[in-house]
Amino acid sequence: MIAFIVRRLVAAVLLLVIVSMVTFAIFFLVPRLVGSTPDDLASRYVGRDASPTSVQAAKKRLHLDDPVPLQYGRFVKGIVAGDEFDYGPQTVKCSAPCFGYSFRTSQNVLDLIKDRFPVTASLVFGASILWLTGGVAVGVLSALKRRSFFDRAAMSIALAGVSLPIYFTGLVSLSLFAYTWKIWPDGVQYANLLDNPVKWAYNLVLPWVTLAFLYAAMYARLTRSGMLETLNEDYIRTARAKGLPERTVITKHALRATLTPILTIFGLDIGLLLGGAVLTESTFSLPGMGKMVVDAITGNDLPVVLGVVMFTALFVVLANLIVDLLYGVVDPRVRHN
Amino acid sequence: MTAPIEVSGSEVEAQPDAVLAGVDRKAIQGRSLGQIAWLRLKRDKVALGGGVVVLLLILAAVFAPVLVKLLGYPPDEFHRELIDPVFSRPTGAYGGIGWDHLFGVEPINGRDLFSRILYGARISLLVAFLATLLSVSIGVVLGMAAGYFGGWVDTVIARAMDVFLAFPLLLFAIALVGAIPSQASIFGLFELKDNSLRIALLIFIIGFFNWPYIGRIIRGQTLSLREREFVDAARSMGARSPHILFKELLPNLIGPILVYSTLLIPTNILFEAALSFLGVGVAPPTPSWGGMLSDAVTKQLYPIAPHFMIVPGLAIFITVMAFNLLGDGLRDALDPRAR
């Protein structure tokens, strides 16, 4: 088991290194490949009021004239050990993990992320419970009652669910529930959980249901096909031949094998969404990390974008790691491979 | 494998053996896998319906300029006379939907939605098709290489797929669009700027990051095909790897390639629409479905003019659904084991 954990940890760290390389490449290497000079790059890091002196200062501050590998080294060092920014008269110390400062608000990007994270986490937390229970339950029932009316209806709705863009369902539900029927007369506003838990939950119902509907549709489809495949396995026939009650065959034998791959996907989805449920947050104007990153793109606030991308990558890697370790517990074959 | 295929209700089955023996040979000829699949697909009315819608959409996109000339107004022409100056919404009922403007007019400026939807379909389908082509090319080449050669080649490619699948794809796409300047020279070969650069970028991003989904499937299929007798037979007759890969394996992979390409297109349409919705797709005034929905949110137009949200939303939904139905039907037809 120890060897298994160590192996997974090493893999997680490697994944993080690769993701950091890709992130770095997106921001510093790719623009160069398509013909941007260090000056062009620097001009994108000074915000709106770009004067030639501030561009030169930004170029120097970000060391954009250095060879690319050296720049990458500095980028990693900033995240791991903190960095110092030379702003002419004074130097600003930015302690690890340092993602730099926003151009627009001059705030530390890490602080901004810490501010926004609870919103995204609340959204994902509530929705994930809904879609996991709902999606899996519908999928299992559909598989057990294959070709029944329930199965056909559920799978048609699920297919429609995966074909509907989430911002469209979000807008439709907003215009129906908030504007026409006035159930949420002020639209959706985020309320802090600790200040007012009831208001928090009440205001998040629409985003939760909207986000959960899409994922529940995907999970129902996945669970159904996984369950049908499992029910065809020899060991299910064996279990039935032994005379086990059908309930035991389904819950103890079939369900367990079906749920393990679902668990992997669930972990990945949670990791990805925690980095910002970009579309849902934009639709409902929830001030989460996804909304922040979209606003940062339109405002050309690259340090914020970079920070959120790295932060998300960290979450994905962590979620992967947790799922891998859980897998080792649930499925003994994984450990010994 | 020209096994008897149940063509229930067909004439051949209904005839007694004696008659069958007398029928000219054509009637009992073996059917190719393609014919079998086509027969199955023909019986799947839902999938066929999806296919017809897909075909109509493609035709509509290709002939958009003609259709707009016949049935609509130029996509960038303002019709402010149709807009209520106080609420900036169309004066006509249901957003001004009528024979003159089939899908109504846009709030504020009164541009014809029918032509904007049609021109939006061009961008949407172009990006989705080319991005799918890119993903499928990379996925098939790498998937076949991984499955066929095994060993370290497989290890490297399989790991790369895992890494790609773990990427926060949407965020990377947003970041990449944001980080690339509005004018760029691709490897110093050709200059692109503004919308043509954006479209090229969208195709590249969507196509490049999606290849592992199809790569995984092709790898798995290649792994199992590699062990089949016909590959052994080819090898024992002295065939080399290129021959086995292209002449023996590839024809057997056409089925899954076709199915998963069809299923990747709707994903890519949704992806392009999402990027446009977030403001990093094609830039206005070029019409795009996601861009219209984005206007509906950011300018708070959907409460006053619901049709402005419903029309592009339904366009995306119908397109994606049609491709999904066709793809599901193709999968059932080509691989009866999958349900």
Side-chain angles (χ1 to χ4, degrees):
Chain A
M1 192 68 192
I2 303 269
F4 169 72
I5 293 174
V6 170
R7 216 163 45 226
R8 287 288 123 202
L9 275 174
V10 172
V13 171
L14 267 179
L15 186 56
L16 205 56
V17 170
I18 294 173
V19 172
S20 77
M21 279 180 171
V22 175
T23 313
F24 172 81
I26 286 177
F27 286 95
F28 297 101
L29 192 61
V30 175
R32 217 173 243 210
L33 286 180
V34 297
S36 288
T37 61
D39 279 15
D40 295 340
L41 270 177
S43 70
R44 313 203 64 185
Y45 281 85
V46 287
R48 291 270 159 93
D49 52 335
S51 67
T53 26
S54 64
V55 170
Q56 290 306 316
K59 192 167 82 173
K60 192 160 156 265
R61 190 172 75 240
L62 295 162
H63 308 279
L64 290 172
D65 275 329
D66 288 350
V68 172
L70 202 65
Q71 284 187 43
Y72 173 69
R74 200 169 272 121
F75 168 76
V76 172
K77 186 181 153 259
I79 293 171
V80 179
D83 206 347
E84 282 181 356
F85 286 109
D86 180 10
Y87 279 98
Q90 84 270 40
T91 23
V92 178
K93 180 107 178 66
C94 170
S95 55
C98 171
F99 296 112
Y101 289 86
S102 158
F103 304 142
R104 316 207 84 201
T105 58
S106 309
Q107 278 173 290
N108 187 321
V109 171
L110 190 66
D111 292 340
L112 283 173
I113 291 176
K114 278 186 199 152
D115 261 10
R116 302 298 192 99
F117 182 64
V119 183
T120 304
S122 312
L123 172 64
V124 175
F125 170 75
S128 64
I129 294 175
L130 284 179
W131 92 60
L132 189 65
T133 48
V136 169
V138 170
V140 169
L141 278 178
S142 265
L144 293 181
K145 301 192 184 305
R146 199 176 148 208
R147 302 224 168 98
S148 68
F149 174 74
F150 173 82
D151 178 29
R152 282 173 203 276
M155 283 307 117
S156 306
I157 295 172
L159 184 64
V162 295
S163 306
L164 279 165
I166 191 160
Y167 38 93
F168 181 52
T169 41
L171 282 184
V172 170
S173 61
L174 263 181
S175 64
L176 286 183
F177 294 104
Y179 293 95
T180 310
W181 297 326
K182 311 262 184 228
I183 300 175
W184 284 268
D186 309 324
V188 169
Q189 257 114 33
Y190 179 74
N192 201 326
L193 168 66
L194 298 176
D195 296 345
N196 191 341
V198 178
K199 202 173 167 215
W200 170 82
Y202 180 72
N203 274 336
L204 279 171
V205 169
L206 272 188
W208 278 344
V209 173
T210 311
L211 182 60
F213 178 58
L214 168 69
Y215 280 87
M218 293 197 303
Y219 279 51
R221 280 162 66 90
L222 280 172
T223 310
R224 179 179 179 272
S225 64
M227 190 78 182
L228 285 176
E229 212 165 281
T230 314
L231 287 175
N232 268 337
E233 296 276 351
D234 289 342
Y235 66 86
I236 297 291
R237 197 187 321 151
T238 312
R240 281 187 181 139
K242 280 197 301 191
L244 284 182
E246 188 64 16
R247 175 185 291 272
T248 319
V249 176
I250 300 295
T251 51
K252 287 241 166 98
H253 296 253
L255 208 53
R256 186 164 168 170
T258 311
L259 286 186
T260 30
I262 303 279
L263 188 72
T264 318
I265 299 165
F266 184 64
L268 263 178
D269 284 340
I270 293 280
L272 283 175
L273 281 176
L274 279 180
V278 183
L279 294 169
T280 318
E281 288 170 15
S282 300
T283 310
F284 291 99
S285 307
L286 287 170
M289 300 216 305
K291 183 86 172 68
M292 177 165 81
V293 84
V294 173
D295 291 344
I297 286 283
T298 26
N300 230 336
D301 200 349
L302 285 192
V304 174
V305 183
L306 200 145
V308 175
V309 171
M310 274 313 288
F311 202 71
T312 311
L314 180 70
F315 265 116
V316 174
V317 172
L318 271 182
N320 256 325
L321 183 67
I322 293 171
V323 167
D324 272 346
L325 295 181
L326 274 179
Y327 230 93
V329 177
V330 178
D331 187 348
R333 285 171 303 181
V334 177
R335 281 201 298 270
H336 304 298
N337 191 350
Chain B
M1 274 295 288
T2 51
I5 295 304
E6 358 60 42
V7 190
S8 52
S10 87
E11 286 171 42
V12 180
E13 208 182 39
Q15 281 159 348
D17 285 355
V19 182
L20 249 180
V23 176
D24 69 320
R25 297 197 74 102
K26 243 179 146 183
I28 42 171
Q29 212 173 37
R31 295 190 185 91
S32 75
L33 283 169
Q35 284 171 311
I36 295 169
W38 173 237
L39 277 175
R40 286 210 197 95
L41 190 65
K42 264 206 298 203
R43 274 183 292 163
D44 190 345
K45 294 289 177 256
V46 180
L48 271 190
V52 170
V53 174
V54 165
L55 207 65
L56 289 178
L57 281 166
I58 294 172
L59 287 175
V62 171
F63 295 108
V66 182
L67 285 171
V68 164
K69 205 160 234 166
L70 289 174
L71 299 166
Y73 293 85
D76 294 326
E77 199 176 278
F78 287 4
H79 297 274
R80 290 223 170 96
E81 71 281 3
L82 297 171
I83 302 298
D84 183 334
V86 182
F87 299 104
S88 68
R89 67 180 167 211
T91 40
Y94 304 107
I97 294 181
W99 285 113
D100 218 23
H101 296 274
L102 291 172
F103 294 165
V105 290
E106 189 191 46
I108 300 178
N109 288 327
R111 289 180 290 192
D112 182 34
L113 275 182
F114 175 73
S115 64
R116 292 189 72 73
I117 290 286
L118 275 192
Y119 276 93
R122 299 189 109 181
I123 303 276
S124 188
L125 292 179
L126 178 79
V127 171
F129 272 110
L130 291 182
T132 305
L133 194 68
L134 183 62
S135 310
V136 171
S137 316
I138 305 177
V140 168
V141 170
L142 292 184
M144 281 181 78
Y148 182 74
F149 293 112
W152 65 267
V153 179
D154 185 31
T155 313
V156 170
I157 295 176
R159 282 279 141 229
M161 290 187 204
D162 288 348
V163 171
F164 265 85
L165 290 174
F167 275 170
L169 183 48
L170 187 60
L171 267 185
F172 271 18
I174 300 172
L176 201 53
V177 176
I180 286 201
S182 62
Q183 187 164 5
S185 66
I186 311 299
F187 304 117
L189 288 176
F190 43 95
E191 288 266 325
L192 282 177
K193 62 183 208 179
D194 301 332
N195 253 341
S196 41
L197 174 70
R198 272 289 170 87
I199 292 174
L201 199 61
L202 286 175
I203 293 169
F204 173 77
I205 293 172
I206 300 174
F208 183 69
F209 283 102
N210 264 336
W211 70 267
Y213 292 95
I214 194 145
R216 267 194 172 178
I217 291 155
I218 297 298
R219 173 178 171 270
Q221 296 274 336
T222 311
L223 271 177
S224 67
L225 282 175
R226 191 180 64 173
E227 308 299 329
R228 297 272 288 274
E229 291 85 349
F230 67 89
V231 177
D232 282 342
R235 203 175 283 126
S236 64
M237 284 191 290
R240 291 169 199 278
S241 287
H243 175 89
I244 294 177
L245 278 169
F246 294 109
K247 291 277 158 78
E248 305 286 341
L249 293 178
L250 195 57
N252 283 289
L253 291 170
I254 294 294
I257 292 173
L258 192 65
V259 170
Y260 290 96
S261 307
T262 315
L263 289 173
L264 195 56
I265 291 172
T267 317
N268 289 347
I269 290 175
L270 282 177
F271 203 143
E272 188 274 332
L275 289 176
S276 298
F277 174 75
L278 295 171
V280 293
V282 287
T286 308
S288 70
W289 296 346
M292 289 182 213
L293 283 163
S294 166
D295 280 350
V297 187
T298 51
K299 298 180 185 158
Q300 283 294 308
L301 294 172
Y302 66 97
I304 59 159
H307 78 290
F308 187 49
M309 144 194 101
I310 292 170
V311 170
L314 281 183
I316 300 176
F317 173 59
I318 291 170
T319 313
V320 170
M321 187 84 172
F323 273 105
N324 274 332
L325 288 174
L326 178 65
D328 276 0
L330 275 178
R331 185 179 51 200
D332 292 346
L334 287 164
D335 180 9
R337 279 166 306 151
R339 282 155 298 242

